[in-house]
Amino acid sequence: MSGLNTMLISVTILFSLIFSTSNAQTCTNYTFSSNKIYSSCNDLPVLNAYLHWNYNSTSKTMDIAFRHTNMTSSKWVAWGINPTAKGMIGTQALVAFQDSNGTLKAFTSSVTGYTTQLQQGNLTFGVPSISAQLVNNEITIFATLELLSSNTSTITQLWQEGPVKGDSLMAHVTSGDNIKSVDTLDLLSGQATTTLSGGNSRQKRMNVHGVLNAISWGILMPLGALIARYLKVVDSAGPSWFYLHMACQHVAYVVGVTGWVLGLRLGSESVGIQYSAHRYIGIVLFSLGTLQVFALLLRPSPDHKYRFYWNIYHRMTGYTVIVLSVINVFKGLDILDPEKNWKMIYVIIISVLGIIAINLEVYKWIRVMKMKKKKNVKSENTNQAYGVNGVN
């Protein structure tokens, strides 16, 4: 009987899954309230968006309906075509949002820079009609486009969402799905190809910047500090700990500076998009790291009277760099917004280094105490041998 119940439950679950899958929202099973029919549609891969269109290759006109679900009054949405590039700048956009009076507005805007506020303006192609409707938290932009200057049926489309403050359209998020909302669409075949050209070469450079800095400042720097603090107490290590420490820190510095310069370049290309904390911490890290490198040229000899103070400076600066490095790596991961696995991998690496450091610290102090005890015993034996404490 229990086996029959299990089978019935399994069948019920199976039918539920099939039913839910068949009823999943796609552009193909959507019906417009106006009974408007579009011959082609595309489920856009990110940002809960769909595009429906009719394209006349003879007149080169395109009727579109751009739908965006999960809409609120505090959001603006946009869909556009970039006739000249595969990124944000140059996009000829259709924009819609609900103003502070509750009025739904739809207009055209030409994106000329990263600091655009999507001001209303003419596009490089004609838009005889544009309107929008908001129903059940879903906004739809309807428009007719005259793509007369286009010699191909393939377009680069971009779509976006961002916050509204009052009646001002604020900058959208520059990470995650918001930098993946671009692809190439063939209007005749309906075939879409994700290019991510601007989540593209720029995104690739952001990834390279993140990898370089995570490895250098975030991993090699702490590893070099572990070598200096714990390996030198091992007698068999000899002076090799110093050379390993130097090699590790120098590689970390060179790789880190490369990543830092790339970060400055990315920042200069993104006027109006600032990650102030990440940027300032990066500048501080570069400054302290460079200071550490030049401080080595002024390192006093072991018996110099200022060596004690130099050691304090060197260690405090080094530990400050490590703490700031780890903080900035996490800030960078938040900006890049990669899959959670990447952040988890870094957490695991730092945790492993931390556990190793704790164990080595315990080992070091046990060893130091033993050496101190051994030294005291030896000193006591020496004193006894020379008749100290009144012994002849």
Side-chain angles (χ1 to χ4, degrees):
M1 190 69 179
S2 61
L4 179 59
N5 289 335
T6 302
M7 184 178 69
L8 289 173
I9 292 172
S10 300
V11 171
T12 302
I13 293 174
L14 179 60
F15 272 99
S16 297
L17 290 172
I18 293 172
F19 181 79
S20 62
T21 301
S22 63
N23 286 278
Q25 185 178 23
T26 67
C27 67
T28 56
N29 62 19
Y30 184 83
T31 302
F32 289 91
S33 58
S34 61
N35 293 323
K36 175 75 172 179
I37 297 175
Y38 293 91
S39 60
S40 304
C41 71
N42 190 259
D43 295 339
L44 302 180
V46 294
L47 299 182
N48 304 308
Y50 308 86
L51 180 70
H52 304 254
W53 75 92
N54 292 321
Y55 178 63
N56 188 318
S57 59
T58 303
S59 63
K60 293 186 177 180
T61 57
M62 180 181 181
D63 291 320
I64 72 109
F66 170 71
R67 297 168 41 228
H68 189 292
T69 60
N70 298 330
M71 183 64 182
T72 67
S73 59
S74 59
K75 280 185 183 180
W76 58 261
V77 298
W79 176 90
I81 296 174
N82 193 328
T84 58
K86 296 184 183 298
M88 172 179 167
I89 296 178
T91 298
Q92 307 300 299
L94 313 176
V95 186
F97 78 104
Q98 193 172 30
D99 68 14
S100 56
N101 295 321
T103 303
L104 190 61
K105 292 186 174 181
F107 58 91
T108 58
S109 179
S110 181
V111 179
T112 57
Y114 289 113
T115 56
T116 181
Q117 294 182 335
L118 295 175
Q119 297 90 343
Q120 185 170 347
N122 295 328
L123 305 186
T124 57
F125 49 79
V127 183
S129 66
I130 180 173
S131 61
Q133 70 176 24
L134 178 60
V135 179
N136 296 328
N137 295 325
E138 177 176 296
I139 192 168
T140 305
I141 300 176
F142 299 96
T144 299
L145 314 180
E146 296 176 336
L147 307 176
L148 302 179
S149 60
S150 176
N151 296 320
T152 176
S153 63
T154 301
I155 62 170
T156 297
Q157 65 168 341
L158 302 93
W159 61 100
Q160 195 55 262
E161 66 175 20
V164 175
K165 186 175 182 180
D167 288 334
S168 299
L169 309 189
M170 311 304 290
H172 64 78
V173 175
T174 54
S175 61
D177 288 344
N178 291 81
I179 58 173
K180 299 175 183 176
S181 52
V182 54
D183 64 26
T184 300
L185 176 65
D186 189 317
L187 298 177
L188 294 178
S189 68
Q191 183 67 37
T193 304
T194 300
T195 59
L196 293 184
S197 158
N200 54 16
S201 62
R202 173 178 168 77
Q203 181 63 31
K204 290 178 182 176
R205 284 181 289 148
M206 289 177 68
N207 291 338
V208 171
H209 164 73
V211 170
L212 290 177
N213 286 320
I215 291 175
S216 57
W217 302 105
I219 297 175
L220 290 179
M221 281 287 182
L223 182 61
L226 290 181
I227 291 172
R229 182 164 180 81
Y230 302 115
L231 193 58
K232 68 179 179 181
V233 300
V234 179
D235 296 333
S236 59
S240 62
W241 72 266
F242 177 75
Y243 300 112
L244 284 173
H245 170 67
M246 291 286 289
C248 194
Q249 302 304 72
H250 281 180
V251 170
Y253 178 75
V254 172
V255 175
V257 169
T258 303
W260 180 75
V261 171
L262 181 56
L264 290 181
R265 176 66 178 173
L266 288 167
S268 67
E269 294 175 353
S270 306
V271 180
I273 301 175
Q274 295 261 341
Y275 300 102
S276 299
H278 185 66
R279 178 184 178 88
Y280 294 146
I281 293 175
I283 293 173
V284 171
L285 283 173
F286 169 74
S287 302
L288 292 178
T290 303
L291 198 61
Q292 285 282 70
V293 171
F294 282 103
L296 291 174
L297 302 176
L298 303 175
R299 183 169 61 117
S301 59
D303 56 349
H304 196 280
K305 63 180 181 178
Y306 291 126
R307 181 57 179 264
F308 172 76
Y309 301 105
W310 186 92
N311 286 341
I312 293 176
Y313 146 78
H314 184 64
R315 289 168 183 166
M316 292 302 295
T317 304
Y319 293 143
T320 301
V321 167
I322 290 171
V323 172
L324 290 178
S325 296
V326 174
I327 291 174
N328 222 27
V329 167
F330 280 109
K331 286 189 174 294
L333 286 170
D334 289 338
I335 293 169
L336 285 175
D337 193 25
E339 294 182 7
K340 292 182 180 180
N341 290 342
W342 291 106
K343 182 177 285 190
M344 183 59 64
I345 288 172
Y346 185 67
V347 169
I348 291 172
I349 292 174
I350 290 298
S351 299
V352 169
L353 289 177
I355 292 170
I356 291 174
I358 292 172
N359 285 297
L360 289 178
E361 188 71 21
V362 172
Y363 168 79
K364 176 183 177 180
W365 281 106
I366 291 175
R367 184 176 176 81
V368 167
M369 295 302 293
K370 285 183 177 179
M371 291 176 64
K372 186 175 181 180
K373 184 177 181 181
K374 184 177 181 181
K375 184 177 180 180
N376 289 338
V377 171
K378 184 176 180 181
S379 177
E380 183 178 340
N381 292 337
T382 301
N383 290 338
Q384 290 176 355
Y386 283 93
V388 180
N389 296 328
V391 180
N392 295 323

